[in-house]
Amino acid sequence: MNAETLASAAILSPFAARDGGRVDWAIADGRTGYLEAVAEMEARAAAIAEQRSPERIWLVEHPPLYTAGTSARAQDLVEPGLFPVFKSGRGGQFTYHGPGQRVAYVMLDLARRKPDLRQFVAALESWIIATLSAFNIRGERRDGRIGVWVRRPEKGEGVEDKIGAIGIRVRRWVSFHGISINVEPQLSHYAGIVPCGIHGYGVTSLADLGWPVSMAELDAALRAAFEEGFGPTRDA
């Protein structure tokens, strides 16, 4: 385990479950519409806040689309007619979702774990880093650039690409929205936006890095890393 992964494990630990409850772990079949996903997340987050439902991790794939976070700038939508664009209540700017990308929607009760939004974002980065380490990929965090990055020395000195994105919202200390990891999406689809409003950096995927990982294999690594850092899960 490299130094980055060890440091990530330390960041994850404050968010481990303390009450012994299991988090529902669900995987959606097929493609999930974005508005459908938002409606379901909001309903579940409200139920969690009212202690009517357990916490939930929901893994989905979306059809090709762009989402605009609360800080999105109009000029960062480079090709407005390429795919549907949805305004999103999550933090951040423009991002892409589509087939071959795993989106993990994270509905956790931070009041019962640790009510610290900044550290929670760092913990989600750590979760991505730990997941990638299962495939011998070294993901790294960068100050001022939320998400997870990989170095691309074959492209030139100092070149880095983004492989994992984060965009969350918290209401009544329950999180929703979440993270995404590029398994094998069509990377050219990112050309319609400035991803996350960050200029001068590219986007990559497990396949682009030479790792032909199936979605099921990625899901298994995600679950193992989540349980290590956040606590036990159950099929839902």
Side-chain angles (χ1 to χ4, degrees):
M1 188 177 291
N2 62 44
E4 185 77 25
T5 306
L6 286 169
S8 294
I11 292 170
L12 273 170
S13 60
F15 290 92
R18 292 176 173 80
D19 58 7
R22 292 181 177 269
V23 176
D24 282 357
W25 188 273
I27 303 176
D29 293 327
R31 308 282 185 257
T32 303
Y34 187 72
L35 295 180
E36 171 193 344
V38 172
E40 186 162 338
M41 279 191 290
E42 290 192 342
R44 184 59 173 256
I48 293 169
E50 295 163 7
Q51 299 186 12
R52 294 186 287 107
S53 293
E55 299 171 304
R56 188 187 198 203
I57 301 296
W58 185 28
L59 306 185
V60 309
E61 278 184 274
H62 287 302
L65 58 91
Y66 298 129
T67 65
T70 55
S71 301
R73 299 170 297 192
Q75 64 267 31
D76 288 342
L77 181 59
V78 180
E79 295 187 43
L82 189 58
F83 297 122
V85 179
F86 296 92
K87 289 186 177 180
S88 173
R90 61 162 175 80
Q93 302 188 39
F94 279 104
T95 195
Y96 167 77
H97 295 311
Q101 181 195 74
R102 176 53 86 205
V103 177
Y105 287 129
V106 180
M107 290 154 271
L108 297 180
D109 187 349
L110 302 186
R112 298 197 336 242
R113 291 174 179 266
K114 184 175 183 179
D116 186 316
L117 186 55
R118 186 182 297 273
Q119 286 198 31
F120 181 58
V121 170
L124 294 178
E125 290 175 332
S126 297
W127 179 24
I128 297 173
I129 289 168
T131 299
L132 294 174
S133 72
F135 306 104
N136 294 317
I137 294 172
R138 181 171 180 169
E140 299 178 345
R141 56 172 50 85
R142 291 291 180 262
D143 291 341
R145 287 191 265 134
I146 290 174
V148 174
W149 302 79
V150 293
R151 302 185 191 193
R152 305 300 303 272
E154 73 279 10
K155 291 185 174 183
E157 185 176 353
V159 176
E160 297 179 337
D161 287 340
K162 192 171 191 176
I163 193 169
I166 297 171
I168 63 167
R169 185 170 182 179
V170 172
R171 183 182 295 155
R172 296 168 65 187
W173 282 114
V174 177
S175 68
F176 54 113
H177 296 280
I179 69 170
S180 64
I181 297 176
N182 288 336
V183 180
E184 194 173 5
Q186 180 57 256
L187 294 178
S188 64
H189 290 177
Y190 280 91
I193 57 172
V194 177
C196 302
I198 301 173
H199 293 266
Y201 295 93
V203 180
T204 191
S205 66
L206 289 159
D208 184 48
L209 293 171
W211 287 92
V213 175
S214 70
M215 196 65 77
E217 290 171 324
L218 188 279
D219 291 347
L222 269 170
R223 189 168 188 172
F226 181 89
E227 291 186 334
E228 184 71 23
F230 289 94
T233 64
R234 64 182 182 185
D235 292 333

